[in-house]
Amino acid sequence: MTSPPLRSVARRPRRATGPRFARVGLNLFYLPALVLVGVFTIVPLINGIGISFTNWNGYSAVRAFVGVDNYERLLSDPNFHTALINTIIYGVGSTIVQQVLGLALALALDRAIRGRGVARAIIYLPVLVSPIVMGTMYYLFFAYNTGGLNDLVVALGGERTAWLADSGTAVAIIVLVNSLQFVGISMVIYLAGLQSIPVMYLEAARLDGATPWQQFLHVTVPLLQPAFATSIVLNLIGGLKLFDIIQVLTGGGPGYSTNSVSTLISKVYFDNQNAGYASAIGVALFVLIALFTLVLNTMLNRKRIDA
């Protein structure tokens, strides 16, 4: 009797269990996040760009295509020009103040001193407070008749000052309030960066005769480049889209003199019922933030490579 021929098992398809299949499986975990980003970010962005080419009032079903008329209006609108300048001041000014204060606080609280944990918590606490609440607190502090600052000035023999009625002073106050609220973020980022620096580098510099300032300038600062990049980008984006604090402190006034681009969008949409023009302003703000972020990331990455 002859035995039946052996069947070849090499032709059977194998289940994909290698690294490629593992990567595909891991990528599926990104799908829910991508769906959320698409629904709540990409779709509204595309819809807003489409509305910016219309004269829609934001309420009725009637809307007509007007081409680039809304964007041409931006070029000649003095209120937009003022808001754009203020937005850059809020973004750049707040970023500078937060970096200086945040790094100084991080350096002070990185040392082994008593109560540093409590101090860190107190400095970070305003980050957890709503900007509306923070703005209301500072509004009561800077108010003309009942403000704590004017009460102190009067007690010292001075006269009351309308701090929020002057555009220059009001813009500076907005920058200060925004910086004081979110300086805790910069402090935490710089603390993490300082604690990641190997002690041996500082000890080697000390043995070579470097002064504390030279250690900070030539060892600490170069090794903090990733922390600088993270903190500056986060603070800049937050400052450029500032809304709540301005709305509570000044409402964009006096007139339109302290508006940011974000508060101007609100005024144009709700007060003037011009959703088309408001959308065009929103697109301009998106482009502004994207350009600032792109240029800043390029500069910081180049500096990190050089370091």
Side-chain angles (χ1 to χ4, degrees):
M1 176 183 288
T2 60
S3 59
L6 296 176
R7 296 181 179 179
S8 175
V9 296
R11 297 179 180 177
R12 295 179 182 177
R14 294 183 177 181
R15 182 177 299 176
T17 57
R20 183 177 180 183
F21 178 78
R23 287 196 299 268
V24 173
L26 289 175
N27 289 337
L28 291 177
F29 286 101
Y30 294 112
L31 188 58
L34 293 176
V35 171
L36 291 175
V37 171
V39 171
F40 293 104
T41 303
I42 305 300
V43 173
L45 175 61
I46 295 174
N47 187 42
I49 294 174
I51 294 174
S52 69
F53 293 102
T54 70
N55 64 350
W56 187 40
N57 63 8
Y59 300 97
S60 68
V62 180
R63 65 178 73 179
F65 180 77
V66 296
V68 296
D69 288 356
N70 289 325
Y71 293 97
E72 291 178 350
R73 179 179 172 184
L74 288 176
L75 301 177
S76 59
D77 186 355
N79 292 329
F80 174 73
H81 298 163
T82 300
L84 181 61
I85 294 173
N86 288 341
T87 298
I88 296 175
I89 294 174
Y90 296 144
V92 177
S94 297
T95 300
I96 293 174
V97 174
Q98 288 177 68
Q99 302 324 300
V100 174
L101 287 180
L103 182 57
L105 291 170
L107 290 170
L109 297 178
D110 188 48
R111 302 176 180 179
I113 57 176
R114 182 178 300 178
R116 64 176 181 176
V118 177
R120 292 174 182 176
I122 293 174
I123 295 171
Y124 189 80
L125 185 61
V127 178
L128 307 178
V129 178
S130 168
I132 296 178
V133 175
M134 186 64 63
T136 302
M137 292 170 56
Y138 277 98
Y139 175 80
L140 297 175
F141 179 72
F142 288 107
Y144 179 78
N145 289 322
T146 58
L149 181 58
N150 273 333
D151 289 345
L152 178 62
V153 171
V154 171
L156 295 176
E159 297 181 355
R160 295 185 180 274
T161 302
W163 303 101
L164 299 175
D166 178 75
S167 59
T169 306
V171 167
I173 289 174
I174 291 170
V175 171
L176 177 63
V177 172
N178 182 60
S179 300
L180 292 178
Q181 178 171 12
F182 295 106
V183 69
I185 296 177
S186 297
M187 181 195 69
V188 169
I189 293 173
Y190 288 132
L191 274 173
L194 289 171
Q195 293 172 4
S196 66
I197 298 176
V199 180
M200 64 181 70
Y201 292 166
L202 297 173
E203 291 178 350
R206 192 180 303 113
L207 292 175
D208 288 339
T211 63
W213 172 249
Q214 291 173 332
Q215 295 173 34
F216 171 75
L217 194 62
H218 299 290
V219 178
T220 303
V221 171
L223 294 176
L224 281 179
Q225 292 303 319
F228 280 122
T230 303
S231 180
I232 291 174
V233 170
L234 288 177
N235 294 152
L236 182 63
I237 293 176
L240 290 175
K241 60 186 184 68
L242 194 60
F243 175 83
D244 309 72
I245 291 176
I246 302 171
Q247 196 67 26
V248 175
L249 283 176
T250 65
Y256 283 76
S257 60
T258 60
N259 268 323
S260 67
V261 175
S262 295
T263 57
L264 182 62
I265 293 173
S266 176
K267 286 181 179 294
V268 171
Y269 188 102
F270 293 105
D271 296 348
N272 302 339
Q273 297 184 1
N274 194 338
Y277 186 49
S279 297
I281 300 175
V283 172
L285 177 61
F286 172 78
V287 172
L288 176 69
I289 294 176
L291 287 176
F292 264 90
T293 305
L294 179 62
V295 172
L296 191 58
N297 274 327
T298 302
M299 293 173 57
L300 291 173
N301 288 333
R302 184 181 306 167
K303 190 173 182 180
R304 188 186 310 175
I305 294 174
D306 294 338

